[in-house]
mmCIF file with all atom_site columns, all heavy atoms in Angstrom:
data_model
loop_
_atom_site.group_PDB
_atom_site.id
_atom_site.type_symbol
_atom_site.label_atom_id
_atom_site.label_alt_id
_atom_site.label_comp_id
_atom_site.label_asym_id
_atom_site.label_entity_id
_atom_site.label_seq_id
_atom_site.pdbx_PDB_ins_code
_atom_site.Cartn_x
_atom_site.Cartn_y
_atom_site.Cartn_z
_atom_site.occupancy
_atom_site.B_iso_or_equiv
_atom_site.pdbx_formal_charge
_atom_site.auth_seq_id
_atom_site.auth_comp_id
_atom_site.auth_asym_id
_atom_site.auth_atom_id
_atom_site.pdbx_PDB_model_num
ATOM 1   N N   . ILE C 1 3   ? 112.809 333.977 89.932 1.00 0.00 ? 3   ILE C N   1
ATOM 2   C CA  . ILE C 1 3   ? 112.345 333.895 88.548 1.00 0.00 ? 3   ILE C CA  1
ATOM 3   C C   . ILE C 1 3   ? 112.674 332.526 87.978 1.00 0.00 ? 3   ILE C C   1
ATOM 4   O O   . ILE C 1 3   ? 113.736 331.964 88.265 1.00 0.00 ? 3   ILE C O   1
ATOM 5   C CB  . ILE C 1 3   ? 112.926 335.047 87.688 1.00 0.00 ? 3   ILE C CB  1
ATOM 6   C CG1 . ILE C 1 3   ? 112.285 335.068 86.320 1.00 0.00 ? 3   ILE C CG1 1
ATOM 7   C CG2 . ILE C 1 3   ? 114.440 334.982 87.582 1.00 0.00 ? 3   ILE C CG2 1
ATOM 8   C CD1 . ILE C 1 3   ? 112.271 336.413 85.669 1.00 0.00 ? 3   ILE C CD1 1
ATOM 9   N N   . GLU C 1 50  ? 111.618 332.888 72.381 1.00 0.00 ? 50  GLU C N   1
ATOM 10  C CA  . GLU C 1 50  ? 110.296 333.427 72.752 1.00 0.00 ? 50  GLU C CA  1
ATOM 11  C C   . GLU C 1 50  ? 109.290 332.289 72.963 1.00 0.00 ? 50  GLU C C   1
ATOM 12  O O   . GLU C 1 50  ? 108.507 332.295 73.912 1.00 0.00 ? 50  GLU C O   1
ATOM 13  C CB  . GLU C 1 50  ? 109.804 334.366 71.648 1.00 0.00 ? 50  GLU C CB  1
ATOM 14  C CG  . GLU C 1 50  ? 108.411 334.890 71.921 1.00 0.00 ? 50  GLU C CG  1
ATOM 15  C CD  . GLU C 1 50  ? 107.942 335.887 70.868 1.00 0.00 ? 50  GLU C CD  1
ATOM 16  O OE1 . GLU C 1 50  ? 108.787 336.557 70.245 1.00 0.00 ? 50  GLU C OE1 1
ATOM 17  O OE2 . GLU C 1 50  ? 106.710 335.984 70.689 1.00 0.00 ? 50  GLU C OE2 1
ATOM 18  N N   . ALA C 1 53  ? 109.826 330.663 76.416 1.00 0.00 ? 53  ALA C N   1
ATOM 19  C CA  . ALA C 1 53  ? 109.421 331.509 77.559 1.00 0.00 ? 53  ALA C CA  1
ATOM 20  C C   . ALA C 1 53  ? 107.900 331.659 77.606 1.00 0.00 ? 53  ALA C C   1
ATOM 21  O O   . ALA C 1 53  ? 107.291 331.581 78.678 1.00 0.00 ? 53  ALA C O   1
ATOM 22  C CB  . ALA C 1 53  ? 110.103 332.872 77.470 1.00 0.00 ? 53  ALA C CB  1
ATOM 23  N N   . MET C 1 54  ? 107.281 331.851 76.433 1.00 0.00 ? 54  MET C N   1
ATOM 24  C CA  . MET C 1 54  ? 105.822 332.032 76.406 1.00 0.00 ? 54  MET C CA  1
ATOM 25  C C   . MET C 1 54  ? 105.096 330.752 76.799 1.00 0.00 ? 54  MET C C   1
ATOM 26  O O   . MET C 1 54  ? 104.036 330.795 77.417 1.00 0.00 ? 54  MET C O   1
ATOM 27  C CB  . MET C 1 54  ? 105.351 332.504 75.011 1.00 0.00 ? 54  MET C CB  1
ATOM 28  C CG  . MET C 1 54  ? 105.629 333.947 74.715 1.00 0.00 ? 54  MET C CG  1
ATOM 29  S SD  . MET C 1 54  ? 105.070 335.095 76.013 1.00 0.00 ? 54  MET C SD  1
ATOM 30  C CE  . MET C 1 54  ? 103.303 335.048 75.822 1.00 0.00 ? 54  MET C CE  1
ATOM 31  N N   . TYR C 1 57  ? 105.091 330.742 80.511 1.00 0.00 ? 57  TYR C N   1
ATOM 32  C CA  . TYR C 1 57  ? 104.209 331.785 81.053 1.00 0.00 ? 57  TYR C CA  1
ATOM 33  C C   . TYR C 1 57  ? 102.731 331.402 80.853 1.00 0.00 ? 57  TYR C C   1
ATOM 34  O O   . TYR C 1 57  ? 101.919 331.508 81.771 1.00 0.00 ? 57  TYR C O   1
ATOM 35  C CB  . TYR C 1 57  ? 104.503 333.135 80.378 1.00 0.00 ? 57  TYR C CB  1
ATOM 36  C CG  . TYR C 1 57  ? 103.712 334.249 81.004 1.00 0.00 ? 57  TYR C CG  1
ATOM 37  C CD1 . TYR C 1 57  ? 104.090 334.779 82.231 1.00 0.00 ? 57  TYR C CD1 1
ATOM 38  C CD2 . TYR C 1 57  ? 102.562 334.740 80.388 1.00 0.00 ? 57  TYR C CD2 1
ATOM 39  C CE1 . TYR C 1 57  ? 103.341 335.784 82.841 1.00 0.00 ? 57  TYR C CE1 1
ATOM 40  C CE2 . TYR C 1 57  ? 101.814 335.736 80.989 1.00 0.00 ? 57  TYR C CE2 1
ATOM 41  C CZ  . TYR C 1 57  ? 102.204 336.258 82.211 1.00 0.00 ? 57  TYR C CZ  1
ATOM 42  O OH  . TYR C 1 57  ? 101.462 337.235 82.807 1.00 0.00 ? 57  TYR C OH  1
ATOM 43  N N   . GLU C 1 62  ? 103.884 331.764 85.248 1.00 0.00 ? 62  GLU C N   1
ATOM 44  C CA  . GLU C 1 62  ? 105.073 332.163 86.028 1.00 0.00 ? 62  GLU C CA  1
ATOM 45  C C   . GLU C 1 62  ? 105.889 333.162 85.214 1.00 0.00 ? 62  GLU C C   1
ATOM 46  O O   . GLU C 1 62  ? 106.121 332.942 84.021 1.00 0.00 ? 62  GLU C O   1
ATOM 47  C CB  . GLU C 1 62  ? 105.992 330.949 86.272 1.00 0.00 ? 62  GLU C CB  1
ATOM 48  C CG  . GLU C 1 62  ? 105.458 329.902 87.198 1.00 0.00 ? 62  GLU C CG  1
ATOM 49  C CD  . GLU C 1 62  ? 105.643 330.244 88.667 1.00 0.00 ? 62  GLU C CD  1
ATOM 50  O OE1 . GLU C 1 62  ? 106.425 331.162 88.992 1.00 0.00 ? 62  GLU C OE1 1
ATOM 51  O OE2 . GLU C 1 62  ? 104.990 329.567 89.486 1.00 0.00 ? 62  GLU C OE2 1
ATOM 52  N N   . ASN C 1 63  ? 106.363 334.216 85.869 1.00 0.00 ? 63  ASN C N   1
ATOM 53  C CA  . ASN C 1 63  ? 107.368 335.058 85.223 1.00 0.00 ? 63  ASN C CA  1
ATOM 54  C C   . ASN C 1 63  ? 108.605 334.195 84.974 1.00 0.00 ? 63  ASN C C   1
ATOM 55  O O   . ASN C 1 63  ? 108.987 333.394 85.831 1.00 0.00 ? 63  ASN C O   1
ATOM 56  C CB  . ASN C 1 63  ? 107.743 336.234 86.119 1.00 0.00 ? 63  ASN C CB  1
ATOM 57  C CG  . ASN C 1 63  ? 106.632 337.274 86.164 1.00 0.00 ? 63  ASN C CG  1
ATOM 58  O OD1 . ASN C 1 63  ? 105.897 337.436 85.189 1.00 0.00 ? 63  ASN C OD1 1
ATOM 59  N ND2 . ASN C 1 63  ? 106.517 337.962 87.274 1.00 0.00 ? 63  ASN C ND2 1
ATOM 60  N N   . CYS C 1 64  ? 109.206 334.351 83.808 1.00 0.00 ? 64  CYS C N   1
ATOM 61  C CA  . CYS C 1 64  ? 110.315 333.450 83.500 1.00 0.00 ? 64  CYS C CA  1
ATOM 62  C C   . CYS C 1 64  ? 111.171 334.020 82.381 1.00 0.00 ? 64  CYS C C   1
ATOM 63  O O   . CYS C 1 64  ? 110.797 335.013 81.740 1.00 0.00 ? 64  CYS C O   1
ATOM 64  C CB  . CYS C 1 64  ? 109.771 332.100 83.042 1.00 0.00 ? 64  CYS C CB  1
ATOM 65  S SG  . CYS C 1 64  ? 108.886 332.216 81.501 1.00 0.00 ? 64  CYS C SG  1
ATOM 66  N N   . PHE C 1 65  ? 112.307 333.403 82.177 1.00 0.00 ? 65  PHE C N   1
ATOM 67  C CA  . PHE C 1 65  ? 113.085 333.693 80.965 1.00 0.00 ? 65  PHE C CA  1
ATOM 68  C C   . PHE C 1 65  ? 113.609 332.389 80.393 1.00 0.00 ? 65  PHE C C   1
ATOM 69  O O   . PHE C 1 65  ? 113.772 331.398 81.104 1.00 0.00 ? 65  PHE C O   1
ATOM 70  C CB  . PHE C 1 65  ? 114.205 334.717 81.208 1.00 0.00 ? 65  PHE C CB  1
ATOM 71  C CG  . PHE C 1 65  ? 115.320 334.234 82.087 1.00 0.00 ? 65  PHE C CG  1
ATOM 72  C CD1 . PHE C 1 65  ? 116.493 333.757 81.541 1.00 0.00 ? 65  PHE C CD1 1
ATOM 73  C CD2 . PHE C 1 65  ? 115.209 334.276 83.470 1.00 0.00 ? 65  PHE C CD2 1
ATOM 74  C CE1 . PHE C 1 65  ? 117.536 333.320 82.349 1.00 0.00 ? 65  PHE C CE1 1
ATOM 75  C CE2 . PHE C 1 65  ? 116.230 333.828 84.290 1.00 0.00 ? 65  PHE C CE2 1
ATOM 76  C CZ  . PHE C 1 65  ? 117.395 333.349 83.731 1.00 0.00 ? 65  PHE C CZ  1
ATOM 77  N N   . THR C 1 129 ? 114.724 335.433 76.272 1.00 0.00 ? 129 THR C N   1
ATOM 78  C CA  . THR C 1 129 ? 113.420 336.117 76.293 1.00 0.00 ? 129 THR C CA  1
ATOM 79  C C   . THR C 1 129 ? 112.912 336.092 77.720 1.00 0.00 ? 129 THR C C   1
ATOM 80  O O   . THR C 1 129 ? 112.766 335.018 78.325 1.00 0.00 ? 129 THR C O   1
ATOM 81  C CB  . THR C 1 129 ? 112.387 335.416 75.392 1.00 0.00 ? 129 THR C CB  1
ATOM 82  O OG1 . THR C 1 129 ? 112.893 335.359 74.070 1.00 0.00 ? 129 THR C OG1 1
ATOM 83  C CG2 . THR C 1 129 ? 111.060 336.190 75.391 1.00 0.00 ? 129 THR C CG2 1
ATOM 84  N N   . LEU C 1 130 ? 112.673 337.290 78.244 1.00 0.00 ? 130 LEU C N   1
ATOM 85  C CA  . LEU C 1 130 ? 112.085 337.447 79.575 1.00 0.00 ? 130 LEU C CA  1
ATOM 86  C C   . LEU C 1 130 ? 110.601 337.723 79.387 1.00 0.00 ? 130 LEU C C   1
ATOM 87  O O   . LEU C 1 130 ? 110.233 338.569 78.562 1.00 0.00 ? 130 LEU C O   1
ATOM 88  C CB  . LEU C 1 130 ? 112.759 338.636 80.273 1.00 0.00 ? 130 LEU C CB  1
ATOM 89  C CG  . LEU C 1 130 ? 112.126 339.148 81.556 1.00 0.00 ? 130 LEU C CG  1
ATOM 90  C CD1 . LEU C 1 130 ? 112.336 338.146 82.705 1.00 0.00 ? 130 LEU C CD1 1
ATOM 91  C CD2 . LEU C 1 130 ? 112.719 340.511 81.934 1.00 0.00 ? 130 LEU C CD2 1
ATOM 92  N N   . VAL C 1 131 ? 109.768 336.998 80.118 1.00 0.00 ? 131 VAL C N   1
ATOM 93  C CA  . VAL C 1 131 ? 108.335 337.332 80.118 1.00 0.00 ? 131 VAL C CA  1
ATOM 94  C C   . VAL C 1 131 ? 107.968 337.728 81.535 1.00 0.00 ? 131 VAL C C   1
ATOM 95  O O   . VAL C 1 131 ? 108.052 336.927 82.477 1.00 0.00 ? 131 VAL C O   1
ATOM 96  C CB  . VAL C 1 131 ? 107.447 336.150 79.655 1.00 0.00 ? 131 VAL C CB  1
ATOM 97  C CG1 . VAL C 1 131 ? 105.987 336.601 79.592 1.00 0.00 ? 131 VAL C CG1 1
ATOM 98  C CG2 . VAL C 1 131 ? 107.875 335.659 78.299 1.00 0.00 ? 131 VAL C CG2 1
ATOM 99  N N   . LEU C 1 132 ? 107.644 339.010 81.666 1.00 0.00 ? 132 LEU C N   1
ATOM 100 C CA  . LEU C 1 132 ? 107.365 339.571 82.979 1.00 0.00 ? 132 LEU C CA  1
ATOM 101 C C   . LEU C 1 132 ? 105.947 340.134 82.949 1.00 0.00 ? 132 LEU C C   1
ATOM 102 O O   . LEU C 1 132 ? 105.677 341.047 82.152 1.00 0.00 ? 132 LEU C O   1
ATOM 103 C CB  . LEU C 1 132 ? 108.379 340.700 83.214 1.00 0.00 ? 132 LEU C CB  1
ATOM 104 C CG  . LEU C 1 132 ? 108.780 341.066 84.618 1.00 0.00 ? 132 LEU C CG  1
ATOM 105 C CD1 . LEU C 1 132 ? 109.268 339.893 85.425 1.00 0.00 ? 132 LEU C CD1 1
ATOM 106 C CD2 . LEU C 1 132 ? 109.837 342.172 84.571 1.00 0.00 ? 132 LEU C CD2 1
ATOM 107 N N   . ASP C 1 133 ? 105.070 339.574 83.730 1.00 0.00 ? 133 ASP C N   1
ATOM 108 C CA  . ASP C 1 133 ? 103.663 339.985 83.741 1.00 0.00 ? 133 ASP C CA  1
ATOM 109 C C   . ASP C 1 133 ? 103.087 340.025 82.321 1.00 0.00 ? 133 ASP C C   1
ATOM 110 O O   . ASP C 1 133 ? 102.359 340.952 81.951 1.00 0.00 ? 133 ASP C O   1
ATOM 111 C CB  . ASP C 1 133 ? 103.508 341.361 84.421 1.00 0.00 ? 133 ASP C CB  1
ATOM 112 C CG  . ASP C 1 133 ? 104.117 341.358 85.810 1.00 0.00 ? 133 ASP C CG  1
ATOM 113 O OD1 . ASP C 1 133 ? 104.011 340.316 86.499 1.00 0.00 ? 133 ASP C OD1 1
ATOM 114 O OD2 . ASP C 1 133 ? 104.735 342.360 86.205 1.00 0.00 ? 133 ASP C OD2 1
ATOM 115 N N   . GLY C 1 134 ? 103.485 339.047 81.516 1.00 0.00 ? 134 GLY C N   1
ATOM 116 C CA  . GLY C 1 134 ? 102.931 338.925 80.161 1.00 0.00 ? 134 GLY C CA  1
ATOM 117 C C   . GLY C 1 134 ? 103.664 339.739 79.109 1.00 0.00 ? 134 GLY C C   1
ATOM 118 O O   . GLY C 1 134 ? 103.415 339.582 77.916 1.00 0.00 ? 134 GLY C O   1
ATOM 119 N N   . GLU C 1 135 ? 104.576 340.638 79.527 1.00 0.00 ? 135 GLU C N   1
ATOM 120 C CA  . GLU C 1 135 ? 105.334 341.460 78.557 1.00 0.00 ? 135 GLU C CA  1
ATOM 121 C C   . GLU C 1 135 ? 106.632 340.749 78.191 1.00 0.00 ? 135 GLU C C   1
ATOM 122 O O   . GLU C 1 135 ? 107.336 340.267 79.083 1.00 0.00 ? 135 GLU C O   1
ATOM 123 C CB  . GLU C 1 135 ? 105.719 342.804 79.196 1.00 0.00 ? 135 GLU C CB  1
ATOM 124 C CG  . GLU C 1 135 ? 104.559 343.655 79.606 1.00 0.00 ? 135 GLU C CG  1
ATOM 125 C CD  . GLU C 1 135 ? 104.282 344.731 78.578 1.00 0.00 ? 135 GLU C CD  1
ATOM 126 O OE1 . GLU C 1 135 ? 105.241 345.191 77.949 1.00 0.00 ? 135 GLU C OE1 1
ATOM 127 O OE2 . GLU C 1 135 ? 103.100 345.089 78.419 1.00 0.00 ? 135 GLU C OE2 1
ATOM 128 N N   . LYS C 1 136 ? 106.957 340.763 76.856 1.00 0.00 ? 136 LYS C N   1
ATOM 129 C CA  . LYS C 1 136 ? 108.180 340.079 76.406 1.00 0.00 ? 136 LYS C CA  1
ATOM 130 C C   . LYS C 1 136 ? 109.333 341.063 76.223 1.00 0.00 ? 136 LYS C C   1
ATOM 131 O O   . LYS C 1 136 ? 109.137 342.170 75.723 1.00 0.00 ? 136 LYS C O   1
ATOM 132 C CB  . LYS C 1 136 ? 107.932 339.441 75.034 1.00 0.00 ? 136 LYS C CB  1
ATOM 133 C CG  . LYS C 1 136 ? 107.111 338.186 75.094 1.00 0.00 ? 136 LYS C CG  1
ATOM 134 C CD  . LYS C 1 136 ? 106.721 337.728 73.708 1.00 0.00 ? 136 LYS C CD  1
ATOM 135 C CE  . LYS C 1 136 ? 105.464 338.422 73.250 1.00 0.00 ? 136 LYS C CE  1
ATOM 136 N NZ  . LYS C 1 136 ? 104.865 337.970 72.026 1.00 0.00 ? 136 LYS C NZ  1
ATOM 137 N N   . HIS C 1 137 ? 110.509 340.661 76.613 1.00 0.00 ? 137 HIS C N   1
ATOM 138 C CA  . HIS C 1 137 ? 111.716 341.480 76.411 1.00 0.00 ? 137 HIS C CA  1
ATOM 139 C C   . HIS C 1 137 ? 112.825 340.538 75.989 1.00 0.00 ? 137 HIS C C   1
ATOM 140 O O   . HIS C 1 137 ? 113.001 339.485 76.612 1.00 0.00 ? 137 HIS C O   1
ATOM 141 C CB  . HIS C 1 137 ? 112.130 342.175 77.709 1.00 0.00 ? 137 HIS C CB  1
ATOM 142 C CG  . HIS C 1 137 ? 111.007 342.904 78.368 1.00 0.00 ? 137 HIS C CG  1
ATOM 143 N ND1 . HIS C 1 137 ? 110.698 344.214 78.073 1.00 0.00 ? 137 HIS C ND1 1
ATOM 144 C CD2 . HIS C 1 137 ? 110.097 342.489 79.289 1.00 0.00 ? 137 HIS C CD2 1
ATOM 145 C CE1 . HIS C 1 137 ? 109.644 344.574 78.806 1.00 0.00 ? 137 HIS C CE1 1
ATOM 146 N NE2 . HIS C 1 137 ? 109.260 343.551 79.542 1.00 0.00 ? 137 HIS C NE2 1
ATOM 147 N N   . GLN C 1 138 ? 113.594 340.927 74.938 1.00 0.00 ? 138 GLN C N   1
ATOM 148 C CA  . GLN C 1 138 ? 114.691 340.046 74.502 1.00 0.00 ? 138 GLN C CA  1
ATOM 149 C C   . GLN C 1 138 ? 116.058 340.694 74.717 1.00 0.00 ? 138 GLN C C   1
ATOM 150 O O   . GLN C 1 138 ? 116.209 341.915 74.597 1.00 0.00 ? 138 GLN C O   1
ATOM 151 C CB  . GLN C 1 138 ? 114.510 339.669 73.023 1.00 0.00 ? 138 GLN C CB  1
ATOM 152 C CG  . GLN C 1 138 ? 113.350 338.690 72.853 1.00 0.00 ? 138 GLN C CG  1
ATOM 153 C CD  . GLN C 1 138 ? 113.356 337.929 71.542 1.00 0.00 ? 138 GLN C CD  1
ATOM 154 O OE1 . GLN C 1 138 ? 113.623 338.494 70.489 1.00 0.00 ? 138 GLN C OE1 1
ATOM 155 N NE2 . GLN C 1 138 ? 113.033 336.640 71.595 1.00 0.00 ? 138 GLN C NE2 1
ATOM 156 N N   . PHE C 1 139 ? 117.043 339.865 75.031 1.00 0.00 ? 139 PHE C N   1
ATOM 157 C CA  . PHE C 1 139 ? 118.415 340.307 75.281 1.00 0.00 ? 139 PHE C CA  1
ATOM 158 C C   . PHE C 1 139 ? 119.335 339.356 74.529 1.00 0.00 ? 139 PHE C C   1
ATOM 159 O O   . PHE C 1 139 ? 119.231 338.137 74.694 1.00 0.00 ? 139 PHE C O   1
ATOM 160 C CB  . PHE C 1 139 ? 118.737 340.259 76.779 1.00 0.00 ? 139 PHE C CB  1
ATOM 161 C CG  . PHE C 1 139 ? 117.711 340.961 77.614 1.00 0.00 ? 139 PHE C CG  1
ATOM 162 C CD1 . PHE C 1 139 ? 116.665 340.236 78.190 1.00 0.00 ? 139 PHE C CD1 1
ATOM 163 C CD2 . PHE C 1 139 ? 117.745 342.329 77.776 1.00 0.00 ? 139 PHE C CD2 1
ATOM 164 C CE1 . PHE C 1 139 ? 115.688 340.876 78.938 1.00 0.00 ? 139 PHE C CE1 1
ATOM 165 C CE2 . PHE C 1 139 ? 116.774 342.980 78.523 1.00 0.00 ? 139 PHE C CE2 1
ATOM 166 C CZ  . PHE C 1 139 ? 115.737 342.251 79.106 1.00 0.00 ? 139 PHE C CZ  1
ATOM 167 N N   . LEU C 1 193 ? 120.094 341.235 81.025 1.00 0.00 ? 193 LEU C N   1
ATOM 168 C CA  . LEU C 1 193 ? 118.870 340.898 81.770 1.00 0.00 ? 193 LEU C CA  1
ATOM 169 C C   . LEU C 1 193 ? 118.903 341.529 83.170 1.00 0.00 ? 193 LEU C C   1
ATOM 170 O O   . LEU C 1 193 ? 117.916 342.137 83.613 1.00 0.00 ? 193 LEU C O   1
ATOM 171 C CB  . LEU C 1 193 ? 118.764 339.375 81.872 1.00 0.00 ? 193 LEU C CB  1
ATOM 172 C CG  . LEU C 1 193 ? 117.680 338.816 82.783 1.00 0.00 ? 193 LEU C CG  1
ATOM 173 C CD1 . LEU C 1 193 ? 116.315 338.891 82.106 1.00 0.00 ? 193 LEU C CD1 1
ATOM 174 C CD2 . LEU C 1 193 ? 117.954 337.361 83.153 1.00 0.00 ? 193 LEU C CD2 1
ATOM 175 N N   . PHE C 1 196 ? 118.403 345.263 83.113 1.00 0.00 ? 196 PHE C N   1
ATOM 176 C CA  . PHE C 1 196 ? 116.995 345.575 82.859 1.00 0.00 ? 196 PHE C CA  1
ATOM 177 C C   . PHE C 1 196 ? 116.174 345.419 84.140 1.00 0.00 ? 196 PHE C C   1
ATOM 178 O O   . PHE C 1 196 ? 115.382 346.298 84.497 1.00 0.00 ? 196 PHE C O   1
ATOM 179 C CB  . PHE C 1 196 ? 116.466 344.648 81.756 1.00 0.00 ? 196 PHE C CB  1
ATOM 180 C CG  . PHE C 1 196 ? 115.024 344.856 81.431 1.00 0.00 ? 196 PHE C CG  1
ATOM 181 C CD1 . PHE C 1 196 ? 114.621 345.868 80.573 1.00 0.00 ? 196 PHE C CD1 1
ATOM 182 C CD2 . PHE C 1 196 ? 114.038 344.041 81.993 1.00 0.00 ? 196 PHE C CD2 1
ATOM 183 C CE1 . PHE C 1 196 ? 113.282 346.071 80.278 1.00 0.00 ? 196 PHE C CE1 1
ATOM 184 C CE2 . PHE C 1 196 ? 112.697 344.233 81.702 1.00 0.00 ? 196 PHE C CE2 1
ATOM 185 C CZ  . PHE C 1 196 ? 112.312 345.247 80.839 1.00 0.00 ? 196 PHE C CZ  1
ATOM 186 N N   . LEU C 1 197 ? 116.379 344.331 84.852 1.00 0.00 ? 197 LEU C N   1
ATOM 187 C CA  . LEU C 1 197 ? 115.611 344.098 86.086 1.00 0.00 ? 197 LEU C CA  1
ATOM 188 C C   . LEU C 1 197 ? 115.972 345.148 87.140 1.00 0.00 ? 197 LEU C C   1
ATOM 189 O O   . LEU C 1 197 ? 115.104 345.616 87.886 1.00 0.00 ? 197 LEU C O   1
ATOM 190 C CB  . LEU C 1 197 ? 115.871 342.684 86.622 1.00 0.00 ? 197 LEU C CB  1
ATOM 191 C CG  . LEU C 1 197 ? 115.300 341.545 85.750 1.00 0.00 ? 197 LEU C CG  1
ATOM 192 C CD1 . LEU C 1 197 ? 115.780 340.191 86.267 1.00 0.00 ? 197 LEU C CD1 1
ATOM 193 C CD2 . LEU C 1 197 ? 113.772 341.580 85.710 1.00 0.00 ? 197 LEU C CD2 1
ATOM 194 N N   . LEU C 1 200 ? 114.107 348.330 86.541 1.00 0.00 ? 200 LEU C N   1
ATOM 195 C CA  . LEU C 1 200 ? 112.694 348.239 86.922 1.00 0.00 ? 200 LEU C CA  1
ATOM 196 C C   . LEU C 1 200 ? 112.529 348.129 88.433 1.00 0.00 ? 200 LEU C C   1
ATOM 197 O O   . LEU C 1 200 ? 111.416 347.943 88.926 1.00 0.00 ? 200 LEU C O   1
ATOM 198 C CB  . LEU C 1 200 ? 112.063 346.977 86.304 1.00 0.00 ? 200 LEU C CB  1
ATOM 199 C CG  . LEU C 1 200 ? 111.824 346.939 84.808 1.00 0.00 ? 200 LEU C CG  1
ATOM 200 C CD1 . LEU C 1 200 ? 111.105 345.642 84.457 1.00 0.00 ? 200 LEU C CD1 1
ATOM 201 C CD2 . LEU C 1 200 ? 110.985 348.114 84.352 1.00 0.00 ? 200 LEU C CD2 1
ATOM 202 N N   . LYS C 1 202 ? 113.285 345.632 90.118 1.00 0.00 ? 202 LYS C N   1
ATOM 203 C CA  . LYS C 1 202 ? 112.703 344.300 90.390 1.00 0.00 ? 202 LYS C CA  1
ATOM 204 C C   . LYS C 1 202 ? 113.622 343.465 91.255 1.00 0.00 ? 202 LYS C C   1
ATOM 205 O O   . LYS C 1 202 ? 113.262 342.383 91.666 1.00 0.00 ? 202 LYS C O   1
ATOM 206 C CB  . LYS C 1 202 ? 112.448 343.565 89.058 1.00 0.00 ? 202 LYS C CB  1
ATOM 207 C CG  . LYS C 1 202 ? 111.275 344.120 88.285 1.00 0.00 ? 202 LYS C CG  1
ATOM 208 C CD  . LYS C 1 202 ? 109.973 343.570 88.832 1.00 0.00 ? 202 LYS C CD  1
ATOM 209 C CE  . LYS C 1 202 ? 108.784 344.059 88.037 1.00 0.00 ? 202 LYS C CE  1
ATOM 210 N NZ  . LYS C 1 202 ? 107.509 343.681 88.665 1.00 0.00 ? 202 LYS C NZ  1
#
Side-chain angles (χ1 to χ4, degrees):
I3 188 153
E50 176 177 333
M54 284 309 288
Y57 186 77
E62 291 279 345
N63 287 329
C64 65
F65 68 98
T129 302
L130 169 71
V131 184
L132 207 53
D133 305 323
E135 298 260 328
K136 284 171 274 188
H137 310 272
Q138 288 198 318
F139 309 95
L193 171 78
F196 179 82
L197 291 172
L200 289 184
K202 287 279 183 188

